[in-house]
Amino acid sequence: MAHAAVVSLQQKLQEMLKGDNSRYPALRQAVSSWHAFLEDSLSIRNAPEEVELLEKHVKWMATELLASIDLYELKKSTTGCFYPKNWELFQEEVVTAGSDSIKSYLMKVMNSRNDNDALLTQDTVERDSEYSPHLQATVLDLDNDLMTVKSRLIGPPSKLHVVSIVGMGGIGKTTLARKVYDDIYMEHHFYIRAWITVSQMHQHREMLLGILRCFSLVNDNTYLKSTKQLAEQVYRSLKGRRYLIAMDDVWDITAWDVVKRSFPDDKNGSRVILTSRLANVGISASSGSLPHYMRCLSVDQSLKLFNLKVFGRETCPLELEKATKQIVEKCQGLPLAIVVVAGFCSKISKTENCWEDIAHKIGLIVSRETEECMDLLALSYKHLPHHLKPCFLYMGAFPKDFEISVSRLIKLWIAAGFLEHTFEMDFEEVAEGYLKDLIDRSLIMVKKRTSSGKVKTCEVHDLLHDLIIREAWKERSIYFTKSNVILSPSVASFEHRIIFNFQRVPSTRLEIIYDQPSLPRATSFLCFGRDGTPGSCSQVDSFITFTNFTWLTVLDICFQPFDHLPCEIWQLFSLRYLALASFTVLPPSIRKLRYLQTLIRYSHQASICLPTEIWEIKKLRHLYFRKCCYFPNVQSEQKDYPGKSSHSNLSLTRLPTSSYHPGEFSRSNPSLTKLQTLSYITFGSIKSCIFKGMPKLKKLGIRESEEERLTAKQMSEELKKLVLLEKLETLKCFFIKPWILKQCAVFPPTLKKLTLRGCQLPWIQMKILCMLPELEVLKLKDYAFQGSEWESTDERFQQLKFLLLDGTDLIHWIVSYIQFPKLESLVLRNCYCLSEIPDDVVEIPTLQFIELYHCSSSADVSANRIQEEQHSMGNDDLVVRIHKFYNCET
């Protein structure tokens, strides 16, 4: 976690310097050198103890400097003083000591370099392999995987081809590869075969020797040969023969790159099987072809495996069926976990009560029953680059089995200071890259995707969650606790403290539990309900009042209602992420949170008025109000719409008071230059002067407000101002009365996702929407369009990939496939009157999914008919799903 501390320190220095790079040159140079060392430390395999000690030292120095800066920023904000001289002396002493320490440790690293370290023995390599003995003798239901991989090995092409098997640790990659390798048909099909285990500490020489051992071509003279001579011997041994090489547990593409030159391509159908936890390794080795991804077992497959291990048959006693299902469901389809738990269950009393108790202690049983299982999973964590480790460990803040919103997770990572700043990409883009990397490394499971194909929610396997807690404690980097746990003074030595509440305990006085000497350094507070969902705790109000969370950067207590927001919140000057439930007033004190990046209000209650002080928070990136907010604007653009009182709170014409700092707010030129998300605001809040100050806005949500009493024409005029938002990609517009759409000019041409609700437009006006050149996702909800017939003869949506019709009186839909040349998904919801799905829809060459939710019976029948016809024609790629009930999140 030294890397996270250094990155956070670099961000803090950038905030302090404000573009003046002449200040603290020694400090900035030292921090840069620390960062450079940490980037290179993963490649230093000799002298690991010295490197580890140096990393700890760097972490300590960065953490101390961060604490020092935070302390004096707090004094400055409360007293108005600037950084005192003793801070200058302190940072100089730390820099000097730090530089000397780095030089000293680096000398030890260089002096301890030994060429013999590069020659690892085969025994050392084997111990790092993920080929767990728990799975060696296990009969997994891998028939489908086996057939798929075998067909790729013996089928075309004739040229040398790599078949990669990718999946998380313990999922059965090695077991599958071994089944294929040992198959009797493979023995006859391939003239010569070899199996090597590569692992993390791969060595070119040892891999070559491993192959030659399989050919029984190793003697005393072989070990005297150079690596180049060994590579030539392997090449000659394979030349002219159809061979199968299995490379198990590959962690780095360089392992393949160095050995592939010894594999001749005689166009005779030779193959290489490669297993890895990393998707990018599998894809690169396969020359771009897709790997075979191992999936977790289904419940039925898990039950079969469990019962075979415990009872020796595929079924279990009737009285244990319920408890057995609970146990295997807790294992979440991971064969390694199922086998370990099955081994434990086979030794204990087979009673219902006993097994129900086991179902609640799966993680504990796995970790206690065999440390090897956790060590196997820990290999994935240890192999992570420095910048991914804190992001992965932070996911331990969420409860087990919790479906994590990716949008929320990314905002939390940014607030925690884990992301490195680049000039080419926003923090959000960097975070998406980190997330993809963790998914490709099989550490995070994708649960849902958005309509545009991005990851919407994700989850961590329970065993990996246990691993996170273990590794965080071992490294003393992140501390997790629950509301009913008293913290000990030792917690103060942790770099980050994350406090989260799993249970509602109304009898507990949180202010007593949390008011510990160690907690002023806590950085995050997240509140969850008993079932893992964001929930309330009756004592949160008093906890904030009596606890001094001075350094808190994340406060997430959504769905915890407040009549009046506690004034102590505005003293959390380091806060970057603030998510609250209902509150009726956002006071001007919000301006004190000058580092705030995300502000969220989860409430469907009345809309609120934002104070003009919101303009002072220049680091704001995301503003989200589930109901609606009236955004503050300047007096010069106020309009008196019909029916609006001149004394109404909606006018928001309050100007800055004398407490404002000069230059921080300009009435004529307000700006939030970092803002990317603004949702939801009223139509009356749309002003040119506002949007000119939001050059990076990408997502915007607008709701019609009854209080504003705008006409359809006035709303259209306001929407035309969106053209000022040159980066806008996502727009949601919710109406409560009919609207008039006469021209495409009301929408900016940059839009990729558009959602309309309740505007009751005639279908003929769809031809206006098709003029949006970049539109990829279109969602029409709650009679956004109405009328019994939609004949889309003139429209042509050139880029549209996703179309949702949700709530409409449409009966007849006449469409041609040429009007949606790139459509991939068609979703119909609450289309009670629709007679059928047009036949021409299935002629769209890119169409992959048709989904119906609670539609008419005739529409369901037509969907079933389409699926049967397509399957009979051999088109198994088109998926048709029919649901009578649905989750309304799309």
Side-chain angles (χ1 to χ4, degrees):
M1 296 293 286
H3 188 272
V6 171
V7 169
S8 296
L9 180 57
Q10 288 179 320
Q11 292 182 15
K12 180 66 72 173
L13 287 175
Q14 288 178 350
E15 293 170 353
M16 288 174 56
L17 295 173
K18 297 180 179 179
D20 182 6
N21 292 326
S22 63
R23 301 169 64 192
Y24 314 129
L27 175 59
R28 289 187 290 105
Q29 184 177 358
V31 175
S32 296
S33 69
W34 301 347
H35 186 270
F37 161 73
L38 292 173
E39 288 293 313
D40 296 336
S41 64
L42 280 177
S43 62
I44 303 175
R45 292 177 178 173
N46 53 303
E49 293 182 0
E50 284 77 7
V51 171
E52 183 178 353
L53 286 172
L54 180 52
E55 287 183 1
K56 289 181 179 179
H57 200 70
V58 168
K59 171 184 169 182
W60 176 84
M61 290 186 294
T63 304
E64 287 298 307
L65 276 170
L66 271 171
S68 174
I69 294 173
D70 286 341
L71 178 61
Y72 284 102
E73 281 195 334
L74 176 62
K75 290 184 177 180
K76 179 183 175 181
S77 66
T78 55
T79 64
C81 300
F82 290 96
Y83 298 109
K85 187 176 181 180
N86 62 338
W87 186 83
E88 303 277 356
L89 295 174
F90 172 79
Q91 60 98 3
E92 286 183 10
E93 290 175 2
V94 172
V95 169
T96 302
S99 300
D100 292 342
S101 298
I102 286 179
K103 291 177 182 178
S104 174
Y105 279 110
L106 283 179
M107 288 301 296
K108 291 182 180 179
V109 171
M110 298 303 295
N111 291 336
S112 62
R113 191 178 298 274
N114 189 335
D115 292 338
N116 292 330
D117 291 341
L119 301 178
L120 297 177
T121 65
Q122 177 67 16
D123 292 339
T124 302
V125 175
E126 287 291 348
R127 280 198 298 271
D128 284 338
S129 170
E130 81 158 53
Y131 191 29
S132 169
H134 289 280
L135 294 181
Q136 286 185 22
T138 298
V139 181
L140 294 181
D141 186 4
L142 299 174
D143 290 346
N144 291 334
D145 298 277
L146 195 63
M147 291 181 60
T148 301
V149 174
K150 285 173 64 176
S151 65
R152 293 179 65 175
L153 290 176
I154 62 179
S158 59
K159 67 177 182 179
L160 176 63
H161 185 62
V162 179
V163 178
S164 300
I165 303 173
V166 174
M168 69 180 292
I171 202 168
K173 300 183 297 297
T174 303
T175 303
L176 174 60
R178 180 63 75 174
K179 278 178 174 288
V180 173
Y181 183 85
D182 292 337
D183 187 89
I184 188 67
Y185 184 85
M186 295 296 140
E187 291 186 28
H188 292 293
H189 184 75
F190 295 99
Y191 182 82
I192 191 170
R193 296 175 303 145
W195 178 288
I196 58 172
T197 300
V198 181
S199 292
Q200 293 171 296
M201 302 294 286
H202 68 84
Q203 298 296 327
H204 187 194
R205 179 184 179 85
E206 189 54 47
M207 287 190 290
L208 296 171
L209 285 170
I211 293 172
L212 292 173
R213 288 191 191 101
C214 294
F215 303 157
S216 300
L217 296 176
V218 175
N219 53 40
D220 291 342
N221 292 330
T222 306
Y223 291 101
L224 301 177
K225 294 181 179 181
S226 67
T227 301
K228 183 177 179 181
Q229 290 172 323
L230 292 174
E232 292 174 353
Q233 184 177 357
V234 170
Y235 185 88
R236 289 195 304 270
S237 302
L238 299 175
K239 184 65 178 174
R241 301 174 176 180
R242 185 162 62 213
Y243 57 85
L244 173 65
I245 307 294
M247 298 180 64
D248 184 35
D249 201 21
V250 181
W251 289 81
D252 194 331
I253 191 59
T254 57
W256 164 250
D257 289 338
V258 297
V259 78
K260 68 180 180 181
R261 292 188 291 270
S262 299
F263 299 158
D265 185 5
D266 295 316
K267 306 294 190 299
N268 59 0
S270 293
R271 295 289 185 264
V272 175
I273 303 176
L274 182 148
T275 73
S276 179
R277 303 186 190 192
L278 313 179
N280 67 310
V281 171
I283 293 172
S284 298
S286 303
S287 301
S289 63
L290 288 177
H292 177 77
Y293 290 98
M294 292 288 291
R295 306 298 180 188
C296 289
L297 301 180
S298 66
V299 175
D300 290 339
Q301 290 173 321
S302 300
L303 283 169
K304 180 180 177 181
L305 173 60
F306 181 87
N307 291 332
L308 283 171
K309 297 296 291 183
V310 178
F311 305 106
R313 59 181 187 272
E314 295 185 8
T315 59
C316 69
L318 184 62
E319 66 273 13
L320 294 178
E321 280 188 356
K322 181 179 179 181
T324 300
K325 188 174 182 181
Q326 290 176 344
I327 290 173
V328 299
E329 285 178 346
K330 287 286 186 178
C331 293
Q332 296 178 297
L334 187 65
L336 179 63
I338 296 170
V339 171
V340 171
V341 174
F344 178 82
C345 291
S346 65
K347 305 171 187 176
I348 64 172
S349 175
K350 296 176 177 58
T351 62
E352 187 174 358
N353 290 338
C354 186
W355 284 38
E356 285 178 353
D357 185 56
I358 292 172
H360 298 293
K361 300 177 180 178
I362 294 296
L364 186 63
I365 290 172
V366 172
S367 59
R368 284 184 178 177
E369 187 70 6
T370 169
E371 186 69 17
E372 179 190 359
C373 294
M374 295 302 288
D375 290 341
L376 182 71
L377 297 175
L379 288 175
S380 292
Y381 173 73
K382 293 175 181 176
H383 193 71
L384 283 177
H386 286 298
H387 65 273
L388 291 181
K389 286 185 176 180
C391 295
F392 178 60
L393 292 184
Y394 198 94
M395 300 188 74
F398 296 93
K400 285 186 177 181
D401 303 320
F402 185 79
E403 194 167 322
I404 304 168
S405 163
V406 167
S407 174
R408 181 186 189 188
L409 179 64
I410 285 177
K411 293 178 178 67
L412 290 171
W413 281 351
I414 296 173
F418 293 155
L419 307 184
E420 296 186 57
H421 177 266
T422 67
F423 292 103
E424 296 81 12
M425 294 188 294
D426 290 330
F427 278 129
E428 286 76 9
E429 294 173 317
V430 174
E432 287 177 0
Y434 285 12
L435 179 71
K436 182 180 184 301
D437 204 345
L438 288 170
I439 292 171
D440 289 345
R441 292 172 182 272
S442 306
L443 290 172
I444 293 178
M445 300 182 292
V446 176
K447 297 297 290 183
K448 293 178 183 175
R449 292 189 178 271
T450 66
S451 52
S452 57
K454 291 186 176 182
V455 181
K456 183 176 183 179
T457 61
C458 61
E459 188 178 339
V460 176
H461 193 281
D462 281 1
L463 290 185
L464 289 176
H465 194 281
D466 293 334
L467 173 70
I468 288 173
I469 304 300
R470 189 186 78 163
E471 293 298 323
W473 178 269
K474 187 184 298 184
E475 296 186 10
R476 304 196 71 76
S477 54
I478 299 181
Y479 181 83
F480 306 99
T481 185
K482 299 181 182 181
S483 64
N484 54 347
V485 177
I486 304 293
L487 300 185
S488 63
S490 63
V491 177
S493 63
F494 281 76
E495 180 184 346
H496 296 278
R497 263 77 62 197
I498 296 181
I499 298 127
F500 58 98
N501 171 56
F502 273 146
Q503 302 175 358
R504 298 181 179 90
V505 277
S507 60
T508 303
R509 296 180 61 200
L510 292 181
E511 68 272 16
I512 294 178
I513 289 180
Y514 288 129
D515 196 9
Q516 303 292 326
S518 61
L519 277 179
R521 287 300 300 171
T523 55
S524 300
F525 182 93
L526 294 92
C527 182
F528 300 94
R530 183 180 298 276
D531 58 353
T533 58
S536 64
C537 181
S538 61
Q539 297 295 319
V540 168
D541 198 345
S542 58
F543 129 68
I544 294 177
T545 303
F546 295 102
T547 305
N548 180 21
F549 279 91
T550 308
W551 313 112
L552 211 60
T553 58
V554 171
L555 179 58
D556 191 337
I557 46 177
C558 52
F559 303 113
Q560 169 59 40
F562 291 103
D563 292 330
H564 300 284
L565 289 175
C567 61
E568 283 79 9
I569 288 181
W570 317 123
Q571 305 303 319
L572 304 176
F573 80 102
S574 295
L575 211 57
R576 297 181 181 181
Y577 180 103
L578 178 59
L580 302 170
S582 60
F583 53 87
T584 55
V585 177
L586 189 65
S589 305
I590 186 72
R591 61 183 293 272
K592 295 181 180 180
L593 307 181
R594 59 194 182 103
Y595 293 115
L596 194 64
Q597 299 169 346
T598 299
L599 176 61
I600 299 174
R601 178 188 185 241
Y602 287 101
S603 176
H604 290 288
Q605 297 180 8
S607 304
I608 68 167
C609 301
L610 296 183
T612 50
E613 285 80 3
I614 200 75
W615 290 108
E616 293 189 51
I617 311 176
K618 298 300 182 182
K619 296 187 180 298
L620 270 177
R621 306 177 73 85
H622 306 280
L623 276 173
Y624 178 80
F625 296 84
R626 180 169 289 180
K627 176 65 175 177
C628 198
C629 72
Y630 298 97
F631 207 84
N633 48 60
V634 294
Q635 191 175 24
S636 58
E637 286 209 21
Q638 289 296 311
K639 294 182 180 180
D640 289 326
Y641 294 120
K644 186 177 73 176
S645 169
S646 60
H647 299 290
S648 171
N649 287 332
L650 303 181
S651 62
L652 294 173
T653 57
R654 178 160 46 86
L655 298 178
T657 65
S658 59
S659 63
Y660 279 75
H661 296 287
E664 289 192 357
F665 178 85
S666 171
R667 170 188 166 189
S668 59
N669 188 29
S671 64
L672 291 173
T673 57
K674 297 182 183 295
L675 194 67
Q676 296 189 13
T677 304
L678 177 57
S679 186
Y680 290 88
I681 62 171
T682 65
F683 279 91
S685 298
I686 301 176
K687 301 298 172 188
S688 298
C689 63
I690 290 178
F691 287 155
K692 285 179 181 178
M694 300 176 181
K696 294 186 177 181
L697 195 66
K698 295 181 178 180
K699 297 181 180 180
L700 177 63
I702 309 171
R703 286 182 185 270
E704 182 181 354
S705 170
E706 291 182 352
E707 290 90 346
E708 288 180 334
R709 301 182 185 178
L710 301 186
T711 65
K713 181 178 180 180
Q714 287 173 327
M715 287 187 286
S716 294
E717 290 299 315
E718 301 292 12
L719 284 174
K720 289 180 181 178
K721 298 170 185 175
L722 300 185
V723 73
L724 297 170
L725 302 173
E726 298 179 353
K727 302 286 186 180
L728 191 66
E729 296 180 352
T730 302
L731 175 63
K732 296 181 180 181
C733 294
F734 297 168
F735 299 82
I736 57 178
K737 59 178 179 288
W739 179 48
I740 302 172
L741 177 63
K742 292 185 177 180
Q743 53 185 337
C744 188
V746 298
F747 298 121
T750 55
L751 282 185
K752 293 184 177 181
K753 299 178 68 174
L754 175 62
T755 301
L756 297 176
R757 171 178 285 171
C759 42
Q760 303 176 46
L761 296 168
W763 288 107
I764 193 173
Q765 292 189 356
M766 282 288 286
K767 63 184 180 182
I768 297 178
L769 296 184
C770 75
M771 297 170 64
L772 294 170
E774 305 294 330
L775 192 63
E776 297 179 358
V777 176
L778 178 60
K779 298 181 181 181
L780 306 175
K781 300 183 177 183
D782 297 339
Y783 291 88
F785 282 74
Q786 68 175 7
S788 60
E789 183 173 295
W790 174 19
E791 184 174 1
S792 48
T793 54
D794 299 328
E795 300 99 76
R796 188 177 176 88
F797 290 87
Q798 297 285 2
Q799 304 297 328
L800 197 67
K801 298 178 181 180
F802 182 95
L803 175 62
L804 167 68
L805 303 180
D806 184 356
T808 174
D809 57 355
L810 181 65
I811 300 176
H812 303 293
W813 181 15
I814 304 170
V815 64
S816 171
Y817 69 91
I818 63 174
Q819 290 156 350
F820 299 96
K822 294 186 178 181
L823 190 67
E824 297 175 358
S825 298
L826 172 63
V827 181
L828 305 174
R829 287 182 170 168
N830 298 318
C831 297
Y832 306 112
C833 304
L834 185 64
S835 60
E836 63 177 358
I837 299 174
D839 291 335
D840 270 21
V841 165
V842 296
E843 301 299 326
I844 300 173
T846 54
L847 192 64
Q848 300 173 12
F849 298 99
I850 298 177
E851 293 192 82
L852 285 77
Y853 296 82
H854 216 248
C855 292
S856 65
S857 299
S858 59
D860 292 348
V861 169
S862 68
N864 283 321
R865 174 175 51 80
I866 288 173
Q867 186 176 38
E868 292 172 0
E869 289 176 354
Q870 292 301 305
H871 284 180
S872 66
M873 296 168 59
N875 180 13
D876 295 328
D877 295 332
L878 179 62
V879 177
V880 178
R881 295 178 183 149
I882 301 174
H883 314 270
K884 283 301 179 185
F885 301 97
Y886 66 90
N887 186 327
C888 58
E889 292 180 357
T890 300

